[in-house]
Amino acid sequence: MAKFVLAGRADCPYYAKAELLADYLQKNLPDFRVHKITQHPQVWEEWLKDLCEKNKWNHKKSPIIWRELLDRGGKGLLLGGYNEFLEYAQLYYGVTSSMTTELMKLIAQENLETHKEKELEEETRKDLIQPLQVWITSASGRVCYNLIPILTSGEVFGMHTEISLNLLGNKQAEEDLHIIMTEMRDLVAPLLRSISICTQVEDAFRQAHVIIILDENTDGEVYSLEDCIRSRLPPCRLYGYLIEKNAHDSVRVIVGGKTFVNLKTFLLMRYAPNVAHNIIAVALGVEGQARAALARKLRTTPSCIKNVIVWGNISGNNYIDLRKARIYRYESAIWGPPNYSRPVLSLIFDSEWVNRQYVETLKKLTATGKQFGAILAAHSIATTLKYWYHGSPPGEIVSLGVLSEGETCCTWRFDQFSALSISSESFRSDSSTHF
């Protein structure tokens, strides 16, 4: 039996011509077998070089064709390129090819598209086999305890994406981490492939696809700026180094918490510059507080209020912009279909409340951080991750922190939250951006 291996660049016209000839021979000759290999044009030269070095061959062009000697353990015998294969077919089988140049190019283009589709299918299949590696820092806290059930429910990453949770903490928190790990195993979550704990910081973020940075202590008093910088610089420098060293190339880092969120995000970007475009800060907690305060004033539910924009420092001096805020399903003399909305400012006639009491209430909440509990923090992180992976509701503006490019009176705004738009934006230590 004659078994041939036909390999070539996916967009090579001569590979396309050799492929058609090989298919014809295999169809009409019972003892002729062919195995075909295509490589993307970007990796073809490197792949061919490795192949030739391994087999001690000398071949530089596409395609390359060799015969496998089945009676000698499959040892490869180089035949050559397209011309050598055509001569071989003419000599031994009396068959030749009359394919036109136009048809060769057309089939080559189809081969390239088919190769790309197969690569995409293979990547999807691997993603299904390999679980998403999710790391959570300060994992013994209440935020993590509330966050884990949401992450494993399928609501964030999708109902077909399994995850492996890695809980990072210090030695003092090891017992609490074991309790969480045992409880999650008892939960038997179908999308949770595995859960592990890590107390050796040098092992942190290995092969991480998602890293969630939480506050060291969500219930403690807020430090001064000087104390915070002094205390947060060493761990952020270490985390940045470990992210660059251990994490996956496409890792996504999300920073949550109630104190100096912008500062921590900025420090991580500084010490992990290669993934800085994929580091963001959570602002949905502040936005949620602003929407809830409006809902109490208008006697409606916070979910009915959309497009509240957070400017400035997420956990410090910020400004809540209501100019684009709208309210849906509001009980009043004017009604409309479910997608009908009205400007929020047109329904609040107490300007004193908007300009002073509302601002002071939110400023107090942000300054103390006492109302920013574990449930709100966990939900804000989970929702931001969900939007990052699957997009935000069409036409709706949501807030988050990304790196600024120096804007002072405006920042970027997008109506659709996506990984692509995040990766093209930037974060500034005293500003946040909305999508």
Side-chain angles (χ1 to χ4, degrees), residues 38-334:
T38 58
Q39 295 293 333
H40 194 280
Q42 294 179 351
V43 302
W44 162 253
E45 291 185 2
E46 183 177 354
W47 182 88
L48 178 62
K49 180 181 178 181
D50 292 340
L51 176 71
C52 291
E53 288 180 353
K54 178 181 178 182
N55 292 280
K56 296 181 173 56
W57 293 339
N58 183 20
H59 191 84
K60 307 244 182 233
K61 296 181 180 180
S62 173
I64 180 173
I65 305 167
W66 68 92
R67 183 177 178 181
E68 290 190 351
L69 305 178
L70 301 181
D71 58 343
R72 300 184 187 178
K75 182 180 178 180
L77 180 63
L78 179 64
L79 182 63
Y82 166 73
N83 290 330
E84 289 79 7
F85 181 62
L86 185 62
E87 291 174 1
Y88 184 93
Q90 290 175 333
L91 178 62
Y92 283 91
Y93 305 114
V95 177
T96 186
S97 174
S98 59
M99 182 185 295
T100 63
T101 303
E102 290 75 17
L103 184 58
M104 289 169 57
K105 293 180 178 180
L106 178 62
I107 295 179
Q109 184 62 33
E110 292 177 352
N111 283 342
L112 179 59
E113 296 298 327
T114 302
H115 181 82
K116 290 179 178 179
E117 291 176 1
K118 288 182 178 180
E119 283 186 332
L120 184 60
E121 291 175 359
E122 181 67 15
E123 290 177 0
T124 303
R125 187 185 67 82
K126 288 181 178 179
D127 288 341
L128 293 176
I129 296 174
Q130 297 294 332
L132 198 69
Q133 295 292 333
V134 179
W135 282 77
I136 306 176
T137 70
S138 306
S140 60
R142 292 171 53 221
V143 175
C144 179
Y145 191 83
N146 287 274
L147 178 61
I148 289 177
I150 307 176
L151 297 179
T152 58
S153 68
E155 179 183 347
V156 176
F157 302 111
M159 296 304 299
H160 302 289
T161 302
E162 292 186 338
I163 67 173
S164 288
L165 282 177
N166 304 272
L167 309 181
L168 178 63
N170 53 36
K171 280 288 186 180
Q172 291 75 16
E174 188 170 4
E175 183 178 352
D176 293 333
L177 294 175
H178 276 288
I179 293 174
I180 295 176
M181 182 172 66
T182 302
E183 189 169 345
M184 284 308 302
R185 286 174 175 170
D186 295 342
L187 186 61
V188 196
L191 296 178
L192 181 60
R193 175 78 69 88
S194 65
I195 182 169
S196 61
I197 64 174
C198 177
T199 57
Q200 301 293 331
V201 69
E202 61 270 15
D203 295 328
F205 313 138
R206 292 196 181 276
Q207 297 302 312
H209 298 104
V210 177
I211 299 174
I212 302 171
I213 307 293
L214 301 179
D215 277 336
E216 293 292 332
N217 184 356
T218 57
D219 297 322
E221 292 295 326
V222 177
Y223 299 121
S224 68
L225 178 58
E226 182 180 354
D227 290 339
C228 184
I229 293 176
R230 185 181 297 111
S231 64
R232 298 316 304 159
L233 183 60
C236 285
R237 181 193 292 124
L238 178 59
Y239 282 173
Y241 167 75
L242 293 171
I243 289 171
E244 294 251 322
K245 178 184 176 184
N246 296 337
H248 193 275
D249 292 340
S250 60
V251 64
R252 303 185 186 190
V253 183
I254 183 168
V255 183
K258 68 179 183 180
T259 57
F260 300 101
V261 176
N262 291 42
L263 174 62
K264 290 183 291 186
T265 308
F266 175 77
L267 291 174
L268 285 173
M269 288 180 172
R270 179 178 179 182
Y271 293 109
N274 291 329
V275 296
H277 61 284
N278 264 357
I279 302 178
I280 64 172
V282 178
L284 285 182
V286 179
E287 180 186 316
Q289 291 176 331
R291 291 166 65 181
L294 290 171
R296 289 192 295 269
K297 178 66 175 178
L298 295 171
R299 297 184 179 181
T300 185
T301 58
S303 62
C304 293
I305 298 175
K306 310 287 186 182
N307 299 347
V308 173
I309 302 171
V310 180
W311 301 97
N313 195 332
I314 295 171
S315 53
N317 294 326
N318 54 53
Y319 171 70
I320 305 301
D321 189 348
L322 302 180
R323 290 174 297 175
K324 293 184 177 295
R326 303 190 70 85
I327 185 169
Y328 294 78
R329 302 186 300 278
Y330 185 62
E331 296 184 7
S332 64
I334 302 176

